[in-house]
Amino acid sequence: MELKRVVVTGLGALSPLGNSVPEYWDGLKNGKSGSDLITLFDPEKFKTRFACEVKGFDPKEHFERKELRKLDRYSQLAIVAAEQAVIDSAIDLEEINRDRVGVIYGSGIGGLGSIAKEITDFARGDGTPRFSPFFIPRMISDIAAGHISIKYGFRGPNFGTVSACATSTNAIIDAATYIRMGKADIIVTGGSEASVNEIGIGGFNSMMAMSTNNEEYKTASRPFDASRDGFVIGEGAGALILEDLEHARNRGAKIYAELVGSGMSADAYHLTAPHPEGLGAALVMKNALEDAQMAPEEVDYVNVHGTATPLGDISETKAILSVFGDHAYKLSISATKSMTGHLLGAAGALEAMATIFAIQEGWIPPTTNLNNLDPEIDPKLNLTPLKAQKRDVNVALSNTFGFGGHNASVIMKKFTE
């Protein structure tokens, strides 16, 4: 069976750096911090009182009041990002065959805010079960894909992926696979997350996974730095339109990049900690390269998972050295979570976009806040510290790893006929 080629023809983003794709990329390129004091609830009693929130987002500008009753914040962000991507792709909704347009869109946690509200309201009541009829549809992590499908009448493959922080990369991989196999012409894919709330912050604090650097919250996300003390939680949504190349050509679509390979693997090691030698991380990159039929030397840029956790950053750099050998020292490497924070299930979609724009514009976004490299990390690696670097990029790889040992990587390439 001859596999179809898959290209990216539309993008949408709501991020801590801005509520559009141009704002997001401009923020990355210029090393903007998306971290600030939490405004979505009163964090005074929590160990962490800052996060990378989506700022200036008013759901009433996008949804009727009646519709908002049905939507958790994570679904609101997802629908708006998908709308941006659909508009950007210039799909003619009257001309395309909607039976062959799908939505594969994920969330690592789903409607955590809705869960918190309903349970809190019940606990504060007299024990009488008074739950919203929309509670379950608001909180389930597949529902964003359903909403997007319903909005546009897309009747192709439709489901949500869940693999913690690898979620939206897995969604992109699944979408690409369906198109490569000829089961769809176009798929809206990506992920969203909205877990900046009491139980999200409290839960991650109890794991001691998040930074508690409340005094220096603007620069608290410090991948690879010796002073890092955990990730900074973020929220947001990213949407990509993946399309069969022939279908895109026939409608005269603009093409951002070609998705040429993907990989998946498991650490099979620990619930939350990575394998100390990065075995799963190395395997997923090898699998992606094999799928793309590429040699390691063909890769120019790696957008790392790079969460600023003490164990994760070291493990990932070991994996890169294992896979790329001496070529690792010629790579450009950066951790854009230093600016966006960790968007959990939405991270992969927005970071895949970072690789696309690195290819398109020839800029490597920086790893900000990297002032004092961890001595356990090889100093010869180019981690793009502090400022963006100019570089021609033909091939870029994006890594995402999730609790449970879930690993997913995608490879984007400059599109050529």
Side-chain angles (χ1 to χ4, degrees), residues 3 14 43 47 57 91 101 103 120 129 208 260 297 317 351 375-376 394:
L3 297 177
L14 291 171
K47 293 177 183 177
F57 174 74
I91 295 169
V101 182
V103 183
T120 301
M208 296 185 290
V260 293
E297 292 74 22
T317 56
E351 289 162 14
E376 292 193 51
N394 187 54

Side-chain angles (χ1 to χ4, degrees), residues 136-410:
I136 300 301
R138 278 204 314 256
M139 56 78 65
I140 52 179
S141 56
D142 69 299
I143 204 68
H147 281 299
I148 295 165
S149 170
I150 292 165
K151 177 180 173 72
Y152 294 103
F154 294 157
R155 293 181 291 270
N158 179 248
F159 59 89
T161 54
V162 180
S163 51
C165 306
T167 289
S168 51
T169 303
N170 275 125
I172 292 167
I173 292 170
D174 282 358
T177 300
Y178 277 83
I179 294 171
R180 291 172 86 184
M181 295 177 66
K183 295 183 180 294
D185 298 327
I186 299 171
I187 295 185
V188 183
T189 189
S192 64
E193 207 76 83
S195 296
V196 182
N197 49 52
E198 292 91 337
I199 59 176
I201 299 296
F204 282 117
N205 269 160
S206 70
M207 295 174 64
M208 296 185 290
M210 284 197 310
S211 171
T212 56
N213 191 351
N214 294 296
E215 292 72 31
E216 300 174 298
Y217 57 85
K218 281 287 187 184
T219 61
S221 184
R222 300 174 178 179
F224 311 119
D225 194 271
S227 66
R228 68 192 185 281
D229 70 329
F231 73 84
V232 176
I233 195 171
E235 61 167 4
L240 298 85
I241 306 297
L242 299 192
E243 190 165 354
D244 166 36
L245 173 58
E246 185 179 353
H247 189 274
R249 279 179 179 145
N250 289 342
R251 69 179 188 87
K254 71 174 178 296
I255 294 173
Y256 283 102
E258 182 173 2
L259 197 162
V260 293
S262 63
M264 294 177 284
S265 76
D267 275 9
Y269 175 73
H270 188 273
L271 281 178
T272 58
H275 190 283
E277 297 304 315
L279 296 187
L283 180 59
V284 75
M285 288 185 277
K286 288 176 182 176
N287 289 343
L289 288 165
E290 181 179 347
D291 185 49
Q293 298 181 22
M294 284 184 169
E297 292 74 22
E298 294 179 73
V299 176
D300 302 301
Y301 169 48
V302 176
N303 185 294
V304 292
H305 187 56
T307 58
T309 55
L311 297 177
D313 291 0
I314 294 170
S315 172
E316 189 169 9
T317 56
K318 286 181 178 179
I320 289 170
L321 287 162
S322 169
V323 172
F324 291 96
D326 288 342
H327 183 65
Y329 302 120
K330 299 176 183 177
L331 290 170
S332 289
I333 300 167
S334 70
T336 48
K337 289 183 181 73
S338 59
M339 296 168 278
T340 65
H342 192 353
L343 275 63
L344 310 179
L350 286 161
E351 289 162 14
M353 286 185 212
T355 67
I356 290 168
F357 280 103
I359 290 167
Q360 284 245 314
E361 299 201 5
W363 279 100
I364 306 297
T367 303
T368 59
N369 312 319
L370 178 50
N371 295 296
N372 184 18
L373 183 67
D374 186 322
E376 292 193 51
I377 294 173
D378 193 324
K380 297 193 295 295
L381 293 172
N382 179 8
L383 301 173
T384 322
L386 305 180
K387 292 185 179 180
Q389 296 176 5
K390 191 72 176 166
R391 173 175 180 165
D392 288 336
V393 179
N394 187 54
V395 177
L397 181 150
S398 177
N399 284 334
T400 46
F401 312 140
F403 284 171
H406 314 302
N407 306 311
S409 300
V410 292

Side-chain angles (χ1 to χ4, degrees), residues 19-33:
N19 295 341
S20 69
V21 171
E23 287 177 288
Y24 167 61
W25 173 242
D26 185 69
L28 286 185
K29 196 165 64 171
N30 290 291
K32 180 180 176 182
S33 172

